[in-house]
Amino acid sequence: MRFCGRFLCNPCTWQEGGVRQLSFDALIPIFTVPILMVVASQSFTCTVIIFLLSPPLIYYFYRNFLRFIIRTKFFLMWTVTSVLTLLLVFEFSVVPLLEILPEENLVFVICVVGGLVCGYKTKQKACQVTQENSLLQGVELGEGDSEICNICKKCTSQKAFHCRLCQTCINEREYHCKWLDCCVGASNLRWYLTCLLFSAVAFIYGSNLTMTSVCHPFILIGTILLPDDCSDVYHQLDIAICFVSSIYSLLIGLVITFYLIYHFWLLYLGKTANERHLLNNENENNEGVLRNATKLFCCKL
């Protein structure tokens, strides 16, 4: 099976028209995400079980299979599938309930499109850096501003760090984001932060609109609604799917918000995530459960 879509081509050769075979690990999320949502929509118990068991199952699958793939597309395709699935559920199941104003839907769509565009630009900028670095072998930088990378043996900036997944040095590198399958650094940090901002608003706002449409809402302040009673959402499968999608969207939005705040904190400190990681390694012999979970579910430092 071969595809020519930009998302499924080699991330740094799609501009050249390169076509790549879609691997098995990239196909899994396309079927897994919708199936899990349908199963979770059967009852409240199923919802709890799916949301509790999914992270450890992904961890098990990653530790036993995905970590042997140098650059897996599993997490990127999970991102794409999740966004498209949640968007389709919202537009074709939530909006027809006629509980959402047109301007509210417009704001939501703008945030979704903004997140997708900024995410695409983040990945595109990372690919441009990889392509440019492949042409810089042997090129000398300004005196006192460069050094030789011990891994790729190329002349790089003193603030650059080599990414083994991208196989190049990234200036002011933060980390390799698995969900976008690219490195975040000086060239695309602004696009990445904008992507996080749009995405956080889209996921949390979409979750609120969905919950207040399928549950009995109450007025918090002015026209701001919050869900109150959701006890009858499992009586209809389509309503239950909407409710489960809102929970999934809320959880993703909260995680993205955490990383957005984390990056603003790093900007305030004037450091990168990679620099803090190296500093912590100097002060600690082990990394801890939280940092290992961060490596799995977001980034590779």
Side-chain angles (χ1 to χ4, degrees):
M1 181 182 298
R2 299 177 69 84
F3 295 83
C4 193
R6 289 185 174 182
F7 277 113
L8 307 183
C9 294
N10 185 298
C12 294
T13 60
W14 63 264
Q15 291 176 321
E16 302 172 3
V19 179
R20 295 293 181 269
Q21 186 175 2
L22 186 61
S23 59
F24 176 73
D25 60 298
L27 282 171
I28 295 176
I30 298 176
F31 302 100
T32 303
V33 173
I35 291 174
L36 288 178
M37 289 188 63
V38 172
V39 173
S41 303
Q42 301 305 309
S43 66
F44 175 76
T45 303
C46 291
T47 301
V48 174
I49 291 175
I50 291 297
F51 278 101
L52 289 180
L53 291 185
S54 292
L57 286 177
I58 294 175
Y59 177 79
Y60 174 82
F61 184 68
Y62 173 80
R63 292 292 298 177
N64 289 276
F65 302 100
L66 295 181
R67 70 188 182 98
F68 299 108
I69 303 175
I70 297 178
R71 192 167 180 176
T72 178
K73 295 293 185 294
F74 175 86
F75 296 98
L76 173 63
M77 292 307 300
W78 190 287
T79 300
V80 174
T81 305
S82 295
V83 172
L84 293 180
T85 301
L86 293 175
L87 181 61
L88 291 174
V89 169
F90 185 86
E91 294 298 331
F92 292 100
S93 294
V94 180
V95 173
L97 296 175
L98 303 179
E99 298 289 341
I100 297 175
L101 298 176
E103 51 268 29
E104 292 176 327
N105 188 27
L106 178 61
V107 171
F108 171 74
V109 171
I110 290 175
C111 291
V112 172
V113 174
L116 290 173
V117 171
C118 292
Y120 170 76
K121 294 295 292 186
T122 301
K123 191 169 177 60
Q124 184 186 48
K125 290 291 184 181
C127 290
Q128 290 177 354
V129 169
T130 301
Q131 292 174 343
E132 292 171 359
N133 288 349
S134 65
L135 303 176
L136 291 179
Q137 188 167 5
V139 176
E140 295 293 336
L141 301 178
E143 184 178 354
D145 296 329
S146 63
E147 59 184 25
I148 302 298
C149 175
N150 295 327
I151 301 175
C152 63
K153 307 301 180 184
K154 293 182 180 180
C155 191
T156 64
S157 168
Q158 291 182 349
K159 293 186 177 181
F161 187 86
H162 188 87
C163 176
R164 296 182 182 273
L165 296 178
C166 296
Q167 298 181 357
T168 190
C169 291
I170 307 297
N171 189 33
E172 298 182 17
R173 178 178 182 267
E174 299 286 339
Y175 45 68
H176 186 96
C177 181
K178 293 181 178 180
W179 303 103
L180 294 179
D181 189 34
C182 68
C183 259
V184 178
S187 66
N188 60 359
L189 180 60
R190 291 183 179 179
W191 285 108
Y192 180 68
L193 293 180
T194 309
C195 174
L196 292 182
L197 178 61
F198 272 119
S199 300
V201 174
F203 281 116
I204 295 177
Y205 185 55
S207 174
N208 177 263
L209 290 177
T210 302
M211 283 192 179
T212 52
S213 296
V214 300
C215 301
H216 300 287
F218 71 94
I219 300 177
L220 179 63
I221 301 175
T223 59
I224 300 177
L225 299 178
L226 289 179
D228 185 13
D229 182 12
C230 300
S231 59
D232 57 350
V233 295
Y234 293 100
H235 293 170
Q236 291 181 240
L237 180 60
D238 57 338
I239 299 297
I241 291 177
C242 294
F243 178 70
V244 170
S245 70
S246 68
I247 297 177
Y248 183 40
S249 180
L250 178 61
L251 293 176
I252 297 175
L254 292 177
V255 172
I256 293 177
T257 301
F258 167 79
Y259 274 97
L260 183 62
I261 295 173
Y262 172 65
H263 275 285
F264 282 137
W265 179 61
L266 289 175
L267 290 174
Y268 172 76
L269 296 178
K271 295 184 179 294
T272 65
N274 191 72
E275 289 173 340
R276 285 196 57 83
H277 170 71
L278 295 176
L279 180 63
N280 289 336
N281 280 352
E282 292 178 359
N283 299 330
E284 301 177 7
N285 293 326
N286 56 72
E287 297 187 342
V289 176
L290 180 60
R291 200 170 303 154
N292 286 329
T294 302
K295 284 185 177 182
L296 170 62
F297 291 107
C298 176
C299 53
K300 181 71 174 179
L301 292 164

